[in-house]
Amino acid sequence: MSEITDFDSLRRAMAENSEQPEGPARNARAEQLLVEAEKLDVPLAVIEALGHQLKVYNYSSEKDKMFVPFARLLRLWDERPEDFDEYETHSLHWVFKWMSSGMLDQPHVPLASIEKWLGEMEHRYRLAGHSERAVRSAEFSVAAHVGDVARAERAFEAWLAADRDSMADCHACELHGQGWWQAERGRSAEALEVWGPVLDGEFGCAHEPHTVLASSLVPLLRLGRLEEARGNHLRGFRLVRPMESMRGAYADHVEFCALTGNEARGLELLAERPAYFTDDGHPRSKLDFLSVVVLLMDRLSALGMGEQQVSGPAGRTWTARELAEHARGEALALAGRFDARNGTSYVSERARARMAQEPLVERLPLGVRAARPTAPVAVVPPPPPPEEAAEPDLPALIAEARRRSDTLQPNAVEAWAAVARAAQGVELEARDRAEIADHRAMDLGPEGTELFERAAELYAEAGDPGEALAAHARAAYVRALAGDVDGALAAIVEPYDQVLALYADEGTGVRQTASVLMARARIVMRRVHEAEGPAAESVLAEARGAAREVLALVDGRAGGDVRLTARVAEAQAMLAEIAAHEGDAQTGAELFARAASGFVEAGLPWFAVEYEARLAGLAHHLGDTVQAERALRAALEHGGPHLEAIGRAQLHLQLAEVVGGLGRADEAAEHALEAAHWADEAGEGPTLGAWARQQLGGLLLRLGRFAEAAEVLESALADLSAETHGDGAVVQTQWWLGDCLSELGEHRASAERRLQAAEIARHWPEQHDHATLAHLAAESLGQAGLHTEADQAYARAGHLWHSLGNVHGLVRSLRARAWLALRTEHGLDGARELMTAAVHACVAARDATDDEEARQRLTDELGHTHRQFGDLLARSVAEDAEDGSIQDAFQEGLARLAEAIDVFASLGDGALDSRTGAELAAGWLEADLGHPARAEAHARAVLAAYAAVADADDADGTAVARRAEAEQLLQVVAEQAVE
């Protein structure tokens, strides 16, 4: 955290804090920055710090805190307006709107005070020379909230009629409010029409299209526009998920799940946001959230799942039925407070109507997992304070902690921490104190060395020299974790030698001895990935020996001791690691599978996750995708509620790659979405989350869901960087995004993305991607009507194709430039020159190769070039040109089409469709030139070509279309003859 020494450092700190996630931590930092600003004795510094504090409060769950800094700002303005610069003057007036909506959202603020505030806002805006647009918008919000429809309609019309100025909300926010009112009045189609520019990306801001996407869900369902609803849910939920302040929009997504047969996904959404049940800073969004919780829980009860355990407010477990009752009571009480303030029953009526909705679709598949293969991560309630619940007695706590540690339960460390808290002021036995210190050291990780040594002293005092040596060994191992591998190796020598001697004299048991041997093996394994050259062989041999030593000691002696069973499994995993490092992937996979099975059979499946993930990687490398998929699914299952968010993200991302490689793009997209979510939850959104979003975007593109894909890829690009992810990932994402935008008709934006990717690829040693991207960018520029820029890009691509020896790419770039030339100053002469160059390039390459397959491909390319040359010449003359010039162009075009027909004919049946296409093009030109016999000959040649499939059921679309066009040509020729 940077120190605040002057105004500049304060501004930097506020800018940094603005980039932090919404929530109490960011708010607390803003409060601290205000204190620092007050020390600077710079009035504008205090003003800016107050504005920053007000902003972070507004975009958080603590919106009720906004009023204090605003009141202070307003007082400063009234006393010394000259202290405000232009930006802060604008900001002060801007946040008047926040105060208006903020008061409305707080039921303790009297309606009379809100009305008085509207008058104050109108007065101050008039003094400042602002339009009344923002004031009428605020008045509309008040009237709509209390249910005064007539006043709301009047204010709505006045809002739209007033001039837009610098105080008006951004276009996106205004359109959201306007569309919301249409939807509120039951005009779903009109609402979606209003929202169109935001949904299409024309307008946006920090919270749009987030809220529009959420608000559009039910109107789309009511209109039966299910595909759009699905897409908006997937796009929109990804946007609101990380934003604490968007509880109302989040509620819209929960509602959508309840109304579309996606109750399981709705439960997942609730589980992800336990704080939304209790955050009181924004009562109106809490009411929205609780209302849809009731809707979802009632839906579960109607499906016979009222007794299912669900996530609810922390502090107890909930069934769906219990949570419905609790949420209904809280929601209606909150609605009642609003109604009491407003003097109407409107808010309660709306809340009850929302709770009572019936599903609009029996089941709408979302393209994402409706329920994870493992149970959602449980929200563990905090332990009740002593005055609310009696702690178990100390012996019971010790017994439970010892049971958990002896059976390697994931929460053993926490259990010993509970013992330590309960034992304050109590004199414990040395053994108990040893285990407390030991587990506290485990919790500290690399910083636990001293505590491990203290634990060793206490174990020795308790008469357990073997466990004392094991604690010394753990102290040595954490030194290795801290990076001091050499120091760890030196520190392990004495415990290792002593425990073997002690074990030989029957002075300690297998468990303690195995603990020391395993610590030594772990330390040695730290060197495996660092070893290079001649030293690598000896390091690998030492590591193998250390792992085998553990197996030799423990194997067959574990009995029912899960600790010893775990030692065997871990030692096998070490051998697997060594095998993989040596390039023996098959052995590595077999040993990882054995290690994972050992943990699962011992009742310790959470320890198997890492090794199943490693097994999946090796299986994928060996081409065994079935095994890779099985291992990844097992890892997710076995991790269960103990799997950390980052691990869950990594497993889902690997599974997306494997399943996608098997052609199951829909399922792969589900896993990529899960991966992105869990990466965000783990705080790895800019790193692993960006990878997941990139893969998700590519899968959605493959599925043809271009709008969703574009949204995801744009989100990924915000975090992808060459330094972190490699420039290849940046290029691929830009490439995919360019493809999406092209499909969506946003050709200029597509060109920008493709050119950006090409610029990066320009520096790569291999230039094929650079050439391809330059070519694609040229296509987009041409489609965007930027013909000169497109020609330049095609020229660049052509140069690259030529340097790569790729004749096909060169020829296609020349042909594309020829078409563009007709629209630029180069005209027909330039176009003819470029097409001629393309023909010569094809002929030269074809005649120069001895590869028959390459010759066939080049011949086909030559045929297409002649065909395009003919088409270009035919279209090069304007309809109002002189007959002579039209005749000449058509005749020249016919000559090129004749060349194309001959070239395609030389390729046989493989080029049948291409030949008939050229035949028909020639036939139409002949008809235009007044040569009916020649035109008829071309048409009959096409019919003859497809005679064998004329009545066949398996005739493809091209054959059917060609025959239909030929018949049409014959009809035109016959009509010409009659005329």
Side-chain angles (χ1 to χ4, degrees), residues 143-279:
H145 171 67
V146 302
D148 187 344
V149 175
R151 182 187 180 192
E153 292 283 14
R154 290 194 302 272
F156 186 83
E157 294 301 326
W159 168 21
L160 270 60
D163 292 335
R164 278 188 59 83
D165 67 351
S166 62
M167 282 298 111
D169 282 342
C170 76
H171 281 290
C173 289
E174 283 208 329
L175 289 174
H176 173 251
Q178 293 160 17
W180 173 85
W181 183 239
Q182 299 293 345
E184 187 72 6
R185 303 304 298 155
R187 300 186 285 262
S188 296
E190 291 86 343
L192 288 161
E193 184 178 355
V194 171
W195 288 328
V198 182
L199 293 172
D200 294 341
E202 183 179 349
F203 300 120
C205 67
H207 278 189
E208 294 296 353
H210 313 48
T211 54
V212 165
L213 284 164
S215 296
S216 72
L217 297 174
V218 171
L220 284 168
L221 291 174
R222 293 192 187 285
L223 292 171
R225 292 160 61 173
L226 304 185
E227 290 294 327
E228 292 173 73
R230 173 196 289 116
N232 286 5
H233 170 62
L234 293 177
R235 289 171 56 198
F237 185 66
R238 289 210 50 81
L239 294 173
V240 304
R241 172 186 279 140
M243 303 183 76
E244 182 203 40
S245 64
M246 301 199 72
R247 179 164 55 183
Y250 200 99
D252 291 340
H253 287 281
V254 177
E255 177 182 45
F256 169 83
C257 293
L259 297 177
T260 57
N262 287 286
E263 294 84 6
R265 180 166 173 80
L267 289 175
E268 292 178 10
L269 270 56
L270 294 187
E272 291 179 23
R273 280 286 184 265
Y276 278 172
F277 286 96
T278 53
D279 283 346

Side-chain angles (χ1 to χ4, degrees), residues 371-704:
R372 298 187 178 103
T374 57
V377 175
V379 178
V380 180
E387 62 270 19
E388 294 184 15
E391 287 278 3
D393 60 34
L394 187 55
L397 285 173
I398 294 172
E400 175 61 14
R402 191 161 288 142
R403 182 192 68 79
R404 293 184 184 187
S405 57
D406 285 346
T407 55
L408 297 179
Q409 297 300 304
N411 47 11
V413 168
E414 290 78 8
W416 281 107
V419 170
R421 289 193 300 270
Q424 290 180 4
V426 178
E427 183 63 32
L428 294 176
E429 297 290 334
R431 177 75 189 199
D432 299 333
R433 286 183 285 136
E435 293 189 70
I436 290 172
D438 208 357
H439 286 84
R440 174 62 179 150
M442 293 176 194
D443 193 32
L444 291 174
E447 288 78 41
T449 305
E450 292 184 6
L451 266 177
F452 276 129
E453 298 291 359
R454 175 57 181 157
E457 294 172 3
L458 290 167
Y459 281 125
E461 183 182 333
D464 191 341
E467 200 60 55
L469 292 170
H472 283 304
R474 288 189 281 275
Y477 175 55
V478 295
R479 291 182 64 174
L481 290 179
D484 184 10
V485 178
D486 290 339
L489 286 169
I492 197 66
V493 171
E494 186 174 347
Y496 172 74
D497 290 341
Q498 290 183 2
V499 82
L500 288 178
L502 194 63
Y503 178 67
D505 292 339
E506 299 184 354
T508 192
V510 175
R511 177 192 282 192
Q512 292 79 3
T513 308
S515 184
V516 176
L517 268 56
M518 180 55 74
R520 178 175 176 273
R522 288 171 177 170
I523 294 169
V524 174
M525 286 295 297
R526 303 290 294 183
R527 302 174 60 200
V528 167
H529 290 289
E530 302 171 2
E532 297 179 357
E537 186 174 345
S538 63
V539 169
L540 289 169
E542 184 180 6
R544 185 182 290 106
R548 287 177 174 170
E549 187 176 25
V550 174
L551 288 173
L553 172 71
V554 179
D555 216 359
R557 298 184 179 87
D561 190 335
V562 295
R563 282 178 174 267
L564 294 178
T565 304
R567 300 296 187 212
V568 172
E570 186 177 353
Q572 289 169 335
M574 288 176 174
L575 294 175
E577 183 82 19
I578 293 165
H581 191 78
E582 291 176 325
D584 187 354
Q586 186 63 51
T587 299
E590 292 170 0
L591 287 168
F592 275 130
R594 195 180 305 169
S597 296
F599 280 120
V600 173
E601 291 167 6
L604 306 169
W606 46 87
F607 285 116
V609 172
E610 177 185 352
Y611 306 123
E612 281 159 336
R614 293 299 311 277
L615 166 60
L618 291 177
H620 199 195
H621 173 75
L622 291 167
D624 187 351
T625 51
V626 174
Q627 170 76 320
E629 181 182 356
R630 185 212 63 76
L632 289 168
R633 291 189 186 282
L636 280 168
E637 178 186 354
H638 292 146
H642 309 297
L643 187 57
E644 292 184 356
I646 189 64
R648 195 177 295 273
Q650 291 166 336
L651 290 170
H652 276 296
L653 191 56
Q654 287 178 268
L655 199 48
E657 181 182 358
V658 171
V659 172
L662 293 171
R664 287 150 38 202
D666 270 308
E667 187 181 353
E670 296 170 10
H671 287 295
L673 186 65
E674 288 287 311
H677 158 57
W678 287 110
D680 290 341
E681 290 292 303
E684 295 293 333
T687 50
L688 186 63
W691 279 117
R693 277 183 277 279
Q694 189 223 29
Q695 187 158 333
L696 174 61
L699 289 162
L700 291 171
L701 169 61
R702 194 197 306 181
L703 291 165

